[in-house]
Each structure stands twice: as C-alpha cells, then as structure tokens.
Coordinates of all heavy atoms in Angstrom, one line a residue:
M1 N 122.5 97.7 145.2 CA 123.5 96.7 145.5 C 123.1 95.4 144.9 O 121.9 95.1 144.8 CB 123.7 96.6 147.0 CG 124.2 97.8 147.7 SD 126.0 98.2 147.3 CE 126.8 97.2 148.6
A2 N 124.1 94.6 144.6 CA 123.9 93.2 144.1 C 124.4 92.3 145.2 O 125.1 92.7 146.2 CB 124.6 93.0 142.8
K3 N 124.0 91.0 145.1 CA 124.5 90.0 146.1 C 125.1 88.8 145.4 O 124.5 88.2 144.5 CB 123.3 89.6 147.0 CG 123.7 88.7 148.1 CD 122.5 88.3 149.0 CE 122.9 87.3 150.0 NZ 121.7 86.7 150.7
L4 N 126.3 88.4 145.9 CA 126.9 87.2 145.3 C 127.1 86.2 146.4 O 127.5 86.6 147.5 CB 128.3 87.6 144.8 CG 129.1 86.4 144.2 CD1 128.4 85.8 143.0 CD2 130.5 86.8 143.9
T5 N 126.6 85.0 146.2 CA 126.8 83.9 147.1 C 127.7 82.8 146.4 O 127.5 82.6 145.2 CB 125.5 83.2 147.5 OG1 124.7 84.2 148.2 CG2 125.7 82.0 148.4
I6 N 128.7 82.3 147.2 CA 129.6 81.3 146.6 C 129.5 80.0 147.4 O 129.7 80.0 148.6 CB 131.1 81.9 146.6 CG1 131.1 83.1 145.8 CG2 132.0 80.8 146.0 CD1 132.5 83.7 145.5
L7 N 129.3 79.0 146.6 CA 129.2 77.6 147.1 C 130.6 76.9 146.8 O 131.2 77.4 145.8 CB 128.1 76.8 146.5 CG 126.7 77.5 146.6 CD1 125.7 76.6 145.9 CD2 126.3 77.7 148.1
P8 N 131.0 75.9 147.4 CA 130.3 75.3 148.6 C 130.6 76.0 149.9 O 130.0 75.5 150.9 CB 131.0 73.9 148.6 CG 132.4 74.1 148.0 CD 132.2 75.2 147.0
A9 N 131.4 77.0 149.9 CA 131.6 77.7 151.2 C 130.3 78.3 151.8 O 130.2 78.5 153.0 CB 132.7 78.8 151.0
N10 N 129.4 78.7 150.8 CA 128.1 79.3 151.2 C 128.4 80.6 152.0 O 127.8 80.8 153.0 CB 127.3 78.3 152.0 CG 125.8 78.8 152.0 OD1 125.4 79.5 151.2 ND2 125.1 78.3 153.0
V11 N 129.2 81.4 151.3 CA 129.4 82.8 151.9 C 128.9 83.8 150.9 O 128.8 83.5 149.7 CB 130.9 83.1 152.1 CG1 131.4 82.2 153.3 CG2 131.8 82.8 150.9
S12 N 128.5 84.9 151.4 CA 127.8 86.0 150.5 C 128.4 87.3 150.8 O 129.0 87.6 151.8 CB 126.3 86.1 150.9 OG 125.7 84.8 150.6
A13 N 128.3 88.2 149.8 CA 128.7 89.6 150.0 C 127.7 90.4 149.2 O 127.3 90.0 148.1 CB 130.1 89.8 149.5
E14 N 127.4 91.6 149.7 CA 126.7 92.6 149.0 C 127.7 93.5 148.3 O 128.7 93.9 149.0 CB 125.8 93.4 149.9 CG 124.7 92.6 150.5 CD 123.4 93.3 150.6 OE1 123.4 94.6 150.6 OE2 122.4 92.6 150.7
V15 N 127.6 93.7 147.0 CA 128.6 94.5 146.3 C 127.8 95.5 145.4 O 126.7 95.3 145.1 CB 129.4 93.5 145.4 CG1 130.3 92.6 146.2 CG2 128.6 92.8 144.4
P16 N 128.6 96.5 145.0 CA 127.9 97.5 144.1 C 127.5 96.9 142.8 O 128.2 96.0 142.3 CB 129.0 98.6 143.8 CG 130.1 98.3 144.8 CD 129.9 96.9 145.3
D17 N 126.4 97.3 142.2 CA 126.0 96.8 140.9 C 127.1 97.1 139.9 O 127.8 98.1 139.9 CB 124.7 97.6 140.4 CG 123.5 97.3 141.2 OD1 123.5 96.4 142.0 OD2 122.5 98.0 141.0
G18 N 127.4 96.1 139.1 CA 128.5 96.2 138.1 C 129.8 95.7 138.6 O 130.8 95.8 137.8
E19 N 129.9 95.1 139.8 CA 131.2 94.6 140.3 C 131.6 93.4 139.5 O 130.8 92.5 139.2 CB 131.0 94.3 141.8 CG 132.2 93.8 142.5 CD 133.1 95.0 143.0 OE1 133.4 95.9 142.2 OE2 133.5 94.9 144.2
N20 N 132.9 93.3 139.3 CA 133.6 92.2 138.7 C 133.4 91.0 139.6 O 133.5 91.1 140.8 CB 135.0 92.5 138.5 CG 135.8 91.3 138.0 OD1 136.2 90.5 138.9 ND2 136.0 91.1 136.7
L21 N 133.1 89.8 139.0 CA 132.8 88.6 139.9 C 134.0 88.2 140.8 O 133.8 87.7 141.9 CB 132.4 87.4 139.0 CG 131.0 87.5 138.5 CD1 130.7 86.2 137.7 CD2 130.0 87.6 139.7
I22 N 135.2 88.3 140.3 CA 136.4 87.9 141.1 C 136.5 88.9 142.3 O 136.7 88.4 143.4 CB 137.7 88.0 140.3 CG1 137.7 86.8 139.3 CG2 138.9 87.9 141.2 CD1 139.0 86.6 138.5
E23 N 136.3 90.1 142.0 CA 136.4 91.1 143.2 C 135.2 90.9 144.1 O 135.4 90.9 145.3 CB 136.4 92.5 142.6 CG 137.7 92.8 142.0 CD 137.8 94.2 141.3 OE1 136.9 95.0 141.6 OE2 138.7 94.4 140.6
A24 N 134.0 90.6 143.6 CA 132.9 90.3 144.5 C 133.1 89.1 145.3 O 132.8 89.0 146.5 CB 131.6 90.1 143.6
G25 N 133.8 88.0 144.7 CA 134.1 86.8 145.4 C 135.1 87.1 146.6 O 134.9 86.6 147.7
E26 N 136.0 87.9 146.3 CA 137.0 88.2 147.3 C 136.4 89.1 148.4 O 136.7 88.9 149.6 CB 138.2 88.9 146.7 CG 138.9 87.7 145.9 CD 140.2 88.1 145.2 OE1 140.6 89.2 145.2 OE2 140.9 87.1 144.8
T27 N 135.4 89.9 148.0 CA 134.7 90.6 149.1 C 134.0 89.7 150.0 O 133.8 89.9 151.2 CB 133.7 91.6 148.4 OG1 134.4 92.5 147.6 CG2 132.9 92.4 149.5
A28 N 133.5 88.6 149.4 CA 132.8 87.5 150.2 C 133.8 86.7 151.0 O 133.4 85.8 151.8 CB 132.0 86.6 149.3
G29 N 135.1 86.9 150.8 CA 136.1 86.2 151.6 C 136.6 84.9 150.9 O 137.2 84.1 151.6
V30 N 136.3 84.7 149.6 CA 136.7 83.5 148.9 C 137.9 83.9 148.0 O 137.8 84.9 147.2 CB 135.6 82.9 148.1 CG1 136.1 81.8 147.2 CG2 134.5 82.5 149.0
E31 N 139.0 83.2 148.1 CA 140.1 83.4 147.2 C 139.7 82.8 145.8 O 139.7 81.5 145.7 CB 141.4 82.8 147.7 CG 142.6 83.3 147.0 CD 143.9 83.0 147.7 OE1 143.9 83.0 149.0 OE2 144.8 82.7 147.0
M32 N 139.5 83.6 144.8 CA 139.0 83.1 143.6 C 140.1 82.7 142.7 O 141.2 83.3 142.6 CB 138.2 84.2 142.8 CG 137.1 84.8 143.7 SD 135.7 83.7 143.8 CE 134.9 83.9 142.2
E33 N 140.0 81.5 142.1 CA 141.0 81.0 141.2 C 141.0 81.7 139.9 O 140.0 81.9 139.3 CB 140.8 79.5 140.9 CG 142.0 78.7 140.6 CD 141.7 77.2 140.5 OE1 140.8 76.7 141.1 OE2 142.5 76.6 139.8
A34 N 142.2 82.2 139.5 CA 142.3 82.9 138.3 C 143.7 82.9 137.8 O 144.7 82.7 138.5 CB 141.8 84.4 138.4
G35 N 143.9 83.1 136.5 CA 145.2 83.2 135.9 C 145.5 84.5 135.2 O 146.2 85.3 135.7
C36 N 144.9 84.6 134.0 CA 145.2 85.7 133.1 C 144.5 87.0 133.5 O 144.9 88.1 133.1 CB 144.9 85.4 131.7 SG 143.1 85.2 131.4
F37 N 143.4 86.9 134.1 CA 142.5 88.1 134.4 C 142.1 88.8 133.1 O 141.8 90.0 133.1 CB 143.1 89.1 135.4 CG 143.3 88.5 136.7 CD1 144.5 87.9 137.1 CD2 142.3 88.6 137.7 CE1 144.7 87.4 138.4 CE2 142.5 88.1 139.0 CZ 143.7 87.5 139.3
N38 N 142.1 88.1 132.0 CA 141.9 88.7 130.7 C 141.0 87.9 129.8 O 141.1 88.0 128.6 CB 143.3 89.0 130.1 CG 143.2 89.9 128.9 OD1 142.3 90.8 128.9 ND2 144.1 89.7 128.0
C39 N 140.2 87.0 130.3 CA 139.2 86.3 129.5 C 139.9 85.4 128.5 O 139.4 85.3 127.4 CB 138.3 87.3 128.9 SG 136.7 86.6 128.6
S40 N 141.0 84.9 128.8 CA 141.7 84.0 127.7 C 142.2 82.7 128.2 O 142.4 81.8 127.4 CB 142.8 84.8 127.0 OG 143.8 85.1 127.9
C41 N 142.4 82.4 129.5 CA 142.9 81.1 129.9 C 141.9 80.1 130.4 O 142.1 78.9 130.4 CB 144.0 81.4 131.0 SG 143.3 81.8 132.6
G42 N 140.8 80.6 131.0 CA 139.8 79.7 131.5 C 139.9 79.2 132.9 O 139.1 78.5 133.4
T43 N 141.0 79.6 133.6 CA 141.2 79.1 134.9 C 140.1 79.6 135.9 O 139.8 78.9 136.9 CB 142.6 79.8 135.5 OG1 143.6 79.5 134.5 CG2 142.9 79.2 136.8
C44 N 139.5 80.7 135.6 CA 138.5 81.2 136.5 C 137.1 80.7 136.3 O 136.2 81.3 136.9 CB 138.6 82.8 136.4 SG 138.0 83.3 134.8
V45 N 136.9 79.7 135.5 CA 135.6 79.2 135.2 C 134.8 78.8 136.5 O 135.4 78.2 137.4 CB 135.6 78.0 134.2 CG1 136.2 76.8 134.8 CG2 134.2 77.8 133.6
A46 N 133.6 79.1 136.6 CA 132.7 78.8 137.7 C 131.3 78.4 137.2 O 130.9 79.0 136.2 CB 132.7 79.9 138.7
E47 N 130.7 77.6 138.0 CA 129.3 77.2 137.6 C 128.3 78.3 138.2 O 128.5 78.7 139.3 CB 128.9 75.9 138.2 CG 127.5 75.4 137.9 CD 127.1 74.1 138.6 OE1 128.0 73.5 139.3 OE2 126.0 73.7 138.5
V48 N 127.4 78.7 137.3 CA 126.4 79.7 137.8 C 125.2 78.8 138.2 O 124.5 78.3 137.4 CB 126.0 80.7 136.7 CG1 125.0 81.6 137.2 CG2 127.3 81.4 136.2
V49 N 125.0 78.8 139.5 CA 123.9 77.9 140.1 C 122.5 78.7 139.9 O 121.5 78.0 139.5 CB 124.1 77.6 141.6 CG1 123.0 76.9 142.2 CG2 125.4 76.9 141.7
S50 N 122.5 80.0 140.1 CA 121.3 80.8 139.8 C 121.7 82.2 139.5 O 122.8 82.6 139.9 CB 120.3 80.7 140.9 OG 120.8 81.3 142.1
G51 N 120.9 82.9 138.8 CA 121.1 84.4 138.6 C 121.8 84.7 137.3 O 122.4 85.8 137.2
M52 N 121.9 83.7 136.4 CA 122.6 84.0 135.1 C 122.1 85.3 134.5 O 122.9 86.0 133.9 CB 122.4 82.8 134.2 CG 123.2 82.9 132.9 SD 124.9 82.8 133.0 CE 125.2 81.0 132.9
E53 N 120.8 85.5 134.6 CA 120.3 86.7 134.0 C 120.8 88.0 134.6 O 120.6 89.1 134.0 CB 118.7 86.6 134.0 CG 118.1 86.8 135.4 CD 118.1 85.5 136.3 OE1 118.8 84.5 135.9 OE2 117.5 85.5 137.4
N54 N 121.4 87.9 135.7 CA 121.9 89.1 136.4 C 123.4 89.4 136.0 O 124.0 90.4 136.6 CB 121.8 89.0 137.9 CG 120.3 89.0 138.3 OD1 119.5 89.6 137.6 ND2 120.0 88.3 139.4
L55 N 124.0 88.6 135.2 CA 125.4 88.8 134.8 C 125.5 89.5 133.4 O 124.5 89.4 132.6 CB 126.1 87.4 134.7 CG 126.2 86.6 136.0 CD1 126.9 85.3 135.7 CD2 127.1 87.4 137.0
S56 N 126.6 90.1 133.2 CA 126.8 90.7 131.9 C 126.9 89.7 130.8 O 127.2 88.5 131.1 CB 128.1 91.5 131.9 OG 129.2 90.8 132.4
D57 N 126.5 90.1 129.6 CA 126.4 89.1 128.5 C 127.8 88.6 128.1 O 128.8 89.4 128.2 CB 125.8 89.8 127.3 CG 124.3 90.0 127.4 OD1 123.7 89.3 128.2 OD2 123.8 90.9 126.8
P58 N 128.0 87.3 127.7 CA 129.3 86.9 127.4 C 129.8 87.5 126.1 O 129.0 87.7 125.1 CB 129.1 85.3 127.2 CG 127.6 85.2 126.9 CD 126.9 86.3 127.6
T59 N 131.1 87.7 126.0 CA 131.7 88.2 124.8 C 132.0 87.0 123.9 O 132.1 85.9 124.4 CB 133.0 89.0 125.1 OG1 133.9 88.1 125.7 CG2 132.8 90.2 125.9
D60 N 132.4 87.2 122.6 CA 132.8 86.1 121.8 C 134.0 85.5 122.3 O 134.2 84.2 122.3 CB 133.1 86.6 120.4 CG 131.8 87.1 119.6 OD1 130.7 86.7 120.1 OD2 131.9 87.7 118.6
E61 N 134.9 86.3 122.9 CA 136.1 85.7 123.5 C 135.8 84.8 124.6 O 136.4 83.7 124.7 CB 136.9 87.0 124.1 CG 138.3 86.8 124.2 CD 138.9 88.1 124.7 OE1 138.2 89.0 125.2 OE2 140.2 88.3 124.6
E62 N 134.9 85.2 125.5 CA 134.5 84.3 126.6 C 133.9 83.0 126.1 O 134.2 81.9 126.5 CB 133.6 85.0 127.6 CG 133.2 84.1 128.7 CD 132.2 84.7 129.7 OE1 131.7 85.8 129.5 OE2 131.8 84.0 130.6
L63 N 133.0 83.1 125.1 CA 132.4 81.9 124.5 C 133.4 81.0 123.9 O 133.3 79.7 124.1 CB 131.3 82.3 123.5 CG 130.1 83.1 124.1 CD1 129.2 83.6 123.0 CD2 129.3 82.2 125.0
D64 N 134.4 81.5 123.3 CA 135.5 80.7 122.7 C 136.2 79.9 123.8 O 136.5 78.7 123.7 CB 136.5 81.5 122.0 CG 136.0 81.9 120.6 OD1 135.0 81.4 120.2 OD2 136.7 82.7 119.9
V65 N 136.5 80.6 124.9 CA 137.3 79.9 126.0 C 136.4 78.8 126.6 O 136.9 77.7 126.9 CB 137.8 80.9 127.0 CG1 138.4 80.2 128.2 CG2 138.8 81.9 126.4
L66 N 135.1 79.1 126.9 CA 134.2 78.1 127.5 C 134.1 76.9 126.6 O 134.1 75.8 127.0 CB 132.9 78.8 127.7 CG 132.8 79.8 128.9 CD1 131.5 80.5 128.9 CD2 133.0 79.1 130.2
D67 N 134.1 77.2 125.3 CA 134.0 76.1 124.3 C 135.3 75.2 124.4 O 135.2 74.0 124.4 CB 133.8 76.7 122.9 CG 133.5 75.6 121.9 OD1 132.6 74.8 122.1 OD2 134.2 75.5 120.9
Q68 N 136.5 75.9 124.5 CA 137.7 75.1 124.6 C 137.7 74.2 125.9 O 138.3 73.1 125.9 CB 138.9 76.0 124.7 CG 139.3 76.7 123.4 CD 140.2 77.9 123.6 OE1 141.0 77.9 124.6 NE2 140.2 78.8 122.7
W69 N 137.1 74.7 126.9 CA 137.0 73.9 128.2 C 135.8 73.0 128.2 O 135.6 72.3 129.2 CB 136.9 74.9 129.4 CG 138.3 75.5 129.7 CD1 139.0 76.4 129.0 CD2 139.0 75.3 130.9 NE1 140.1 76.7 129.7 CE2 140.2 76.0 130.9 CE3 138.8 74.5 132.1 CZ2 141.1 76.1 131.9 CZ3 139.7 74.5 133.1 CH2 140.9 75.3 133.0
N70 N 135.1 73.0 127.1 CA 133.9 72.1 127.0 C 132.9 72.4 128.1 O 132.3 71.5 128.7 CB 134.4 70.7 127.1 CG 133.4 69.8 126.3 OD1 132.7 70.3 125.5 ND2 133.5 68.5 126.5
K71 N 132.7 73.7 128.4 CA 131.7 74.2 129.4 C 130.6 74.9 128.7 O 130.7 75.7 127.9 CB 132.4 75.1 130.4 CG 133.6 74.6 131.2 CD 133.1 73.6 132.2 CE 134.2 73.1 133.1 NZ 133.8 72.0 134.0
D72 N 129.4 74.4 129.1 CA 128.1 75.0 128.6 C 128.0 76.5 129.1 O 127.9 76.7 130.3 CB 127.0 74.2 129.1 CG 125.6 74.7 128.5 OD1 125.6 75.8 128.0 OD2 124.6 74.0 128.8
P73 N 128.0 77.5 128.1 CA 127.9 78.9 128.6 C 126.5 79.2 129.2 O 126.4 80.3 129.8 CB 128.1 79.6 127.3 CG 127.8 78.7 126.2 CD 128.1 77.3 126.7
E74 N 125.6 78.3 129.2 CA 124.3 78.6 129.9 C 124.5 78.1 131.4 O 123.6 78.4 132.2 CB 123.2 77.8 129.2 CG 123.0 78.3 127.8 CD 121.6 78.2 127.3 OE1 120.8 77.5 127.9 OE2 121.4 78.8 126.2
K75 N 125.5 77.5 131.7 CA 125.7 77.0 133.1 C 127.1 77.5 133.7 O 127.2 77.6 134.9 CB 125.7 75.5 133.2 CG 124.4 74.9 132.8 CD 124.4 73.4 133.1 CE 123.1 72.8 132.7 NZ 123.3 71.5 132.0
F76 N 128.0 77.8 132.8 CA 129.4 78.2 133.3 C 129.8 79.5 132.8 O 129.4 79.8 131.6 CB 130.4 77.2 132.9 CG 130.2 75.8 133.6 CD1 129.4 74.9 133.1 CD2 130.9 75.6 134.8 CE1 129.2 73.6 133.7 CE2 130.7 74.3 135.4 CZ 129.9 73.4 134.9
R77 N 130.5 80.3 133.6 CA 131.0 81.6 133.1 C 132.4 81.8 133.6 O 132.8 81.2 134.6 CB 130.1 82.8 133.6 CG 128.7 82.7 133.1 CD 128.5 82.8 131.6 NE 129.0 84.1 131.1 CZ 128.3 85.2 131.1 NH1 127.0 85.2 131.5 NH2 128.8 86.3 130.5
L78 N 133.1 82.7 133.0 CA 134.5 83.1 133.4 C 134.3 84.2 134.4 O 133.8 85.3 134.0 CB 135.4 83.4 132.2 CG 135.5 82.3 131.2 CD1 136.4 82.8 130.0 CD2 136.1 81.0 131.8
T79 N 134.8 84.1 135.6 CA 134.5 85.1 136.6 C 135.4 86.4 136.3 O 135.0 87.5 136.8 CB 134.8 84.6 138.0 OG1 136.1 84.1 138.1 CG2 133.8 83.5 138.3
C80 N 136.5 86.3 135.6 CA 137.4 87.4 135.5 C 136.7 88.5 134.5 O 137.1 89.6 134.6 CB 138.8 87.1 135.0 SG 138.9 86.6 133.3
C81 N 135.9 88.0 133.6 CA 135.4 88.9 132.6 C 133.9 89.0 132.7 O 133.2 89.2 131.7 CB 135.9 88.5 131.2 SG 135.7 86.8 130.8
N82 N 133.4 88.9 133.9 CA 131.9 89.1 134.1 C 131.6 90.0 135.2 O 132.3 90.1 136.2 CB 131.3 87.8 134.5 CG 130.8 87.1 133.2 OD1 129.8 87.6 132.7 ND2 131.4 86.1 132.8
R83 N 130.5 90.7 135.1 CA 130.1 91.6 136.1 C 128.7 91.2 136.6 O 127.9 90.7 135.8 CB 130.1 93.1 135.6 CG 131.5 93.6 135.4 CD 131.5 95.0 134.7 NE 130.9 94.9 133.4 CZ 129.8 95.6 133.0 NH1 129.2 96.4 133.8 NH2 129.3 95.4 131.8
I84 N 128.5 91.4 137.9 CA 127.1 91.2 138.4 C 126.4 92.5 138.3 O 126.8 93.5 138.9 CB 127.2 90.6 139.8 CG1 125.8 90.4 140.4 CG2 128.0 91.4 140.8 CD1 125.8 89.6 141.7
L85 N 125.4 92.5 137.4 CA 124.7 93.8 137.1 C 123.7 94.2 138.2 O 123.6 95.4 138.4 CB 124.0 93.7 135.7 CG 124.9 93.3 134.6 CD1 124.1 93.2 133.3 CD2 126.0 94.4 134.4
K86 N 123.1 93.3 138.8 CA 122.0 93.6 139.7 C 121.6 92.3 140.4 O 121.9 91.2 139.9 CB 120.8 94.3 139.1 CG 120.2 93.4 138.0 CD 119.1 94.1 137.3 CE 118.6 93.4 136.1 NZ 118.1 92.0 136.2
G87 N 120.7 92.4 141.4 CA 120.1 91.2 141.9 C 121.1 90.2 142.6 O 122.1 90.6 143.1
E88 N 120.7 88.9 142.5 CA 121.5 87.9 143.2 C 122.0 86.9 142.3 O 121.3 86.5 141.4 CB 120.6 87.3 144.3 CG 121.3 86.3 145.2 CD 120.5 85.9 146.4 OE1 119.4 86.4 146.6 OE2 121.1 85.1 147.2
V89 N 123.2 86.5 142.5 CA 123.9 85.4 141.7 C 124.5 84.4 142.7 O 125.1 84.8 143.7 CB 125.0 86.0 140.8 CG1 125.8 84.9 140.1 CG2 124.4 86.9 139.7
V90 N 124.3 83.1 142.4 CA 124.9 82.1 143.2 C 125.9 81.3 142.3 O 125.5 80.8 141.2 CB 123.9 81.1 143.8 CG1 124.6 80.0 144.6 CG2 122.9 81.9 144.6
L91 N 127.2 81.3 142.7 CA 128.2 80.5 142.0 C 128.7 79.3 142.7 O 128.7 79.4 144.0 CB 129.4 81.4 141.8 CG 129.4 82.7 140.9 CD1 130.8 83.3 140.9 CD2 128.9 82.3 139.5
R92 N 129.1 78.3 142.0 CA 129.9 77.2 142.6 C 131.3 77.3 142.1 O 131.6 77.2 140.9 CB 129.3 75.9 142.2 CG 129.9 74.7 143.0 CD 129.3 73.4 142.6 NE 127.8 73.4 142.7 CZ 127.1 73.2 143.9 NH1 127.8 73.0 145.0 NH2 125.8 73.2 143.9
A93 N 132.2 77.6 143.0 CA 133.6 77.9 142.6 C 134.3 76.5 142.4 O 133.9 75.5 142.9 CB 134.3 78.7 143.7
G94 N 135.4 76.5 141.6 CA 136.1 75.3 141.3 C 135.5 74.7 140.0 O 134.5 75.1 139.5
H95 N 136.2 73.7 139.5 CA 135.9 73.2 138.2 C 135.0 72.0 138.3 O 135.3 70.9 138.5 CB 137.1 72.8 137.4 CG 138.0 74.0 137.2 ND1 139.1 74.0 136.4 CD2 137.8 75.3 137.6 CE1 139.6 75.2 136.4 NE2 138.9 76.0 137.1
Ligands
FES1 S1 141.5 84.3 134.7 FE1 142.0 83.7 132.7 S2 140.0 83.5 131.7 FE2 139.6 84.3 133.7

C-alpha cells in the first residue's frame, strides 16, 4: 500500500500501489480540482511537497502542460495523469 497526504487539509489515505492521484485524493476525502482528466488542461496541478520519487514519471504531454502553466516539474505535477507507485507522497492542493 502507498500513502497520500494532502495539505493544507492534512488528511491522508492509504491506497493501493499504482493508484491515480485524483482517486487517491478523493479516498482521503478531498475533492480534487480537475477538468479534462486527460493530462491536457492543467487544472489539476498540485505541488509535491515530498515523495516525488514515488510518483510515475512525467510524460512529454504532462511536461508541456506544466511548462504552459510555468510550473517547475520538479515541484509540481498534474494529479490526473500521475500514479503513486509506492511509499508516501505529500501534496499541497490548489495552485
Ligand atoms: S485535469 Fe486536465 S490536466 Fe489534469
């Protein structure tokens, strides 16, 4: 199992390894902001406070959207197109 914590609400959920971040966030009880669910609009961007190494690697598509939003991919990810592979990840929701 993996663990996702979402700030500033500071709520956590244990989820199966490989769970999509939006679904994991909803398991934690947070309504995750999202639009396209398809890695193209950028609405779902969130700051990764810790555990970046436990997320799936970004696709070129995700990197392009983060660039459009002027978000550093070493600190921000799109939650709709990312999975928590293992371990613990802490996100700060909102822009
Ligand atoms: S919801 Fe559109 S990029 Fe994630």
Side-chain angles (χ1 to χ4, degrees):
M1 294 289 274
K3 183 179 176 191
L4 177 67
T5 297
I6 301 189
L7 305 176
N10 199 21
V11 292
S12 299
E14 295 218 336
V15 296
D17 290 351
E19 182 82 311
N20 171 276
L21 281 183
I22 287 185
E23 286 174 16
E26 290 184 349
T27 301
V30 174
E31 195 169 323
M32 304 291 281
E33 205 174 334
C36 68
F37 293 93
N38 192 29
C39 209
S40 60
C41 73
T43 309
C44 65
V45 69
E47 181 183 355
V48 180
V49 177
S50 65
M52 183 69 89
E53 69 280 8
N54 294 329
L55 293 176
S56 51
D57 288 336
T59 60
D60 289 346
E61 203 176 17
E62 181 184 358
L63 292 173
D64 280 351
V65 175
L66 288 168
D67 189 51
Q68 284 166 28
W69 282 66
N70 212 14
K71 298 289 187 189
D72 180 351
E74 301 208 347
K75 294 189 184 137
F76 292 87
R77 300 295 300 274
L78 301 180
T79 55
C80 77
C81 46
N82 264 290
R83 291 173 295 117
I84 179 168
L85 301 178
K86 60 182 168 58
E88 186 164 1
V89 172
V90 180
L91 293 183
R92 187 179 307 279
H95 299 183

